[in-house]
Amino acid sequence: MSRKTTTAAAAACLTGVLALSACGGGGFSGGNNAPQATAKGPVKLTVMIGSSGDAETNAVKAATEAWAKKTGNTVEVIAASDLGQQLGQAFASTTPPDVFYTDASKVGTFAKAGNLYAYGDQVKDAGFLPALVKAFTYDNKFYCAPKDYSTLALEINPDLWTKAGLTDADIPKDWAGLEAVAKKLTSGKVTGLVIGNDINRSGAFIKQAGGWIVSEDGKTMTADSAPAKAGLAEVQKMMKDGVLKFSSDTSPATGWGGEALGKGVAAMTIEGNWISGAKKDFPDLKYKVVELPAGPAGKGTLLFSNCWGIAAKSQNQAQSVDLVKSLITTEQQMKFADAFGVMPSTEEGAKAFAAKFPDQQAFVAGGEYAQGPVNLPGFDEVMTKFNSQLATLGKGGDPNAWLAELQKNGTSAISD
Amino acid sequence: MASIDERPQDDVSASGARAGQVAAASAGTPTGPAGAPGARRAPRRSGSGIRGREGAAGWIFVAPMIVILGLFLVIPIGMALWVSFTNWQGNTNPFVVGQGTDVVGLKNYTDLFARDGLTRDNFMQSIGNTFYYVLLVVPLQTVLALALALLVNNTMLKGRSFFRTAFYFPSVTSSIAIATVFLFLFSNTGAVNAFLGFFGIDGPQWFSDSRGLLHLAFNAVGIDNPAWAQGEIFGRSLWDWLSGPSVAMFVIIFLVIWTTSGTFMLMFIAALQDLPVEIDEAAALDGTSRWQKLRHVTLPMIKPALFLVITLGLIGTWQVFDQIYVMGKGAPAGTTLSPAFLSYQQSFGNFRYGSGAAMAFVVFLIIVVLTRVQRYVLTDKDERKPFFRRGGRR
C-alpha cells in the first residue's frame, strides 16, 4: 500500500544529433498525439491498473462497468502485478492498453518516448488542483487527467505524545518546534521522528526551506541551491541529535513510517494518507494527523499522484477520453475515496473529501502548497542514485556532495 | 564460444561420414544405387553423391534443433545486437529506422566507457561490485563444494545420503525464497545479529551498510583515501575501485556460496564416484598422506569436473540477478548493482533498450574472455594451444 512513488522516468532518447533530431523533430510528437481515426460502433477498451488490493480493483471494475453499460462498449480491467514493467512491454507491442495508471514521475519518460496521448485539453475544465495539473504537464502540455492524489503530513502517536507531557499546544509549527517535540519523544527504543530514507520524505524539508531540486519550469537543476542544502542540513542535524532516524536504520528495521509507528519504534512519522493501510498489520495503531511544520520559507509538503494515461497507439482514443471523463467526476471520485481511501483530484472533490473525513483534513490542506515529483524523462536513474546515497545519511556522509552530484547528473539528463 | 559451436558440427559430419561408410559397406545389396561399385573405386566422384544425400539426411535430423536454437537463441541474440546499436525506446519496431529508432553506431558502448555521466558511473560501479563478487564466490564455492563432496563421498561416513540431501537442499530451493529468508536473518534485529550480540558483538546493519570490506581493512591500518589512490580509471577513483565488496554485498556473496555449493558438490560427487578404487588403494600402498593423495591423485583425475564447476561458476556469477533484485536492487549506495540488473533496469525501467543491450554484450565478452583464460590456465602446460587461436581443436 505504501505508495512510495518509484521515482521515475527514463531517457528514452539518447544524446547525439540523430537522437535529438528524432525526439525534437516531427517524429512521433506530431503524428501520434493527434486524435487517431477512431473506430465506430461498440469498442472494447483495456484498462491496466497498478492496484493496491481487491478493494481498488473492484471499485475500478464497477466504475468502468457502469460506463460500459451506459455507452454500449465493453471494458476489461487488468490489475498489473508490476505496472512499470508490464507497461514497458505493452508499449513495445502494437496494442497497448487503452487506459492505464501513469505515475506523475513517469509522465516525462512516457511522453518523450511518444507513448502518451495528450488529451489534457479535453478534460482541463474538470477543476483539478493546480498542483496536479502541473505534475502532469511536461513540455507545456497537460498530458492526462489526474486520478487522485496524496500528500505528506505528520502522524503522531497520541499515547506517546501525552506520556511525554505534550499537549495540543505543542504540535510543531516550525522546525524548532519539531526538534523540540522530537527530542522529548525520543527515549529508549523510541525515536522521535522516523521517516523513509529517500527524497520522497526528506524532500519535504527542501520544499519547506523554499526550494526544490529542479526549477519551476523544469528546465534547470536547482539541487545545489541554498534551500536544498538547508533542507537536508535540517534532516542531518536532527539525525545527529538522535531524534530523527530513517526507517531502515531503526532497530528493528522497518520498511516504512507506518510500520515504525506500528512497531512502536517511532513517536512520529511523515507519510501520506495510505498510512491507514498500516492498520491492517497493526490493528491497535492510533495516530493523529497534523500538517507538516513550516520551514524557514513557509509550509511545504510533497504530492504524489497517478493519472489516467491514454496510449498514443490506442485505436479508441475518443472512447477512452469519454471513459476517463466518467471516472473523474466528483461523484465517482468520492466512490473511489470510500472504497480505498484516495483523495479526489478536483477542488470540489477535495472539499467533499475533507468534509466527509475530517480526521484527514491535514492531507487535503497539503494540496494547497504541495510539490509534485520530478516528472522529467531520464530522471529515474538520477534519483535512484541520489536516493541510494541519501539512504546512508545515518552513517555520515556529506549531503552537499550528493546534491552537487545530483545537480550534475540531473543537468546531463535534462540536456540529453 | 567458437569451439562450443563447432563441436556439434564436427560430430555431425563425423557421424555423417561414419553413416556413409556403413551405407557404403552394405551397398553391395541389390537395392544399392547403381553407381555404388564405381563409387568404391573412385570415391571422390560419386562419393559426393552418396555422402551428399547422407549429409542431407543429417541436416534433416538436426534441423529441428537448428530451428529451435536459431529461433530462440541465435536470432534473438542478433536482434539484441542490432538494438545495442540503436536508440530504440521500446514502442516502435526497432528494425524500421526513423520512426523513433535511430542507429547511433557504437555510442551505447562508448557511453559505457568513455563518456562522463551517470550511465558510466553506474556501469563501472556494477563491474567493480561484480568483480569482487566473482573473485570471492567462484573460488570459495568451488572449494566448499569439493570439500563437501569429499566428505559425503567418504565410505566411512554414516548417513551419507542424509548429508548429501541436506547439502543439496539449498540448491533446489527457489533463490527468491532463500534471498527473502536471508533478508530476515540479516535484518538489524535478525538472528545473525542476535547471535553476534550473544558474544557481545554489535552486528552491522547488513543491508544498509555500503562500506567496502577492503576499505574497512585499509581504515583499520590507518589508510583512508590516500593520495596515491586518487587516479581515475573509467571515471572512478582508484580508491573506489579498491573498495572491495560492501557489507551488503558480502551477505549476498555468503548466500550464493551457500546455495550453489550444493549443486557443484553433486558434480564433484559424480566425478569422484567415477574414480577407480584401485588407484586409491595403490596410492595408499605407496604411503601417501591424505593431502598428497588429494593433491596428486584425486585432483588431477577430476580435472574435467573442476573445469566444469569453475566455468559454470564464472558464467553464473557474472550474470547474478535474482538475489540482487530481491535484496536491495543496488542499495545501499549502488554497492550491490550488477551489470545484469543494471541492464534490466536500463531497458525496462528507463526504456533505454540500446544501452541495456550494450551492457549485456559487454558482460558477454567479459565472460567469454574469462572462460578462455581459465581454460588456458587449467590446461596442462604441454597441451596448451596458443592463447588467441580460434577453435584450437584441429
Side-chain angles (χ1 to χ4, degrees), chain A residues 96-183:
Chain A
D98 300 287
V99 181
F100 44 85
Y101 282 12
T102 303
D103 193 278
S105 59
K106 294 266 187 205
V107 167
T109 306
F110 286 5
K112 193 171 180 185
N115 292 324
L116 277 188
Y117 166 50
Y119 67 96
D121 286 348
Q122 302 176 47
V123 292
K124 67 179 174 200
D125 301 331
F128 298 117
L129 292 174
L132 286 172
V133 175
K134 215 175 135 206
F136 294 105
T137 300
Y138 164 70
D139 213 8
N140 291 326
K141 246 189 225 165
F142 178 34
Y143 268 88
C144 48
K147 184 173 80 69
D148 50 38
Y149 77 107
S150 38
T151 58
L152 296 177
L154 186 69
E155 288 85 20
I156 299 169
N157 178 332
D159 295 342
L160 293 172
W161 185 266
T162 28
K163 215 191 270 176
L166 296 164
T167 64
D168 277 0
D170 297 310
I171 287 173
K173 293 271 176 277
D174 51 20
W175 283 0
L178 184 68
E179 286 167 26
V181 293
K183 196 171 178 191

Side-chain angles (χ1 to χ4, degrees), chain B residues 246-312:
Chain B
S246 70
V247 175
M249 185 56 119
F250 174 75
V251 176
I252 298 181
I253 290 173
F254 181 78
L255 173 147
V256 170
I257 293 173
W258 180 70
T259 11
T260 48
S261 51
T263 320
F264 294 136
M265 172 196 77
L266 216 61
M267 294 176 187
F268 279 129
I269 290 180
L272 286 173
Q273 290 186 337
D274 253 7
L275 297 187
V277 191
E278 299 81 28
I279 295 187
D280 243 20
E281 286 168 355
L285 279 179
D286 283 346
T288 54
S289 70
R290 274 165 173 255
W291 173 248
Q292 282 173 320
K293 199 176 84 185
L294 176 68
R295 174 73 189 81
H296 298 291
V297 178
T298 312
L299 269 186
M301 290 177 74
I302 60 165
K303 212 164 190 179
L306 198 66
F307 176 73
L308 178 71
V309 166
I310 297 180
T311 309
L312 290 181

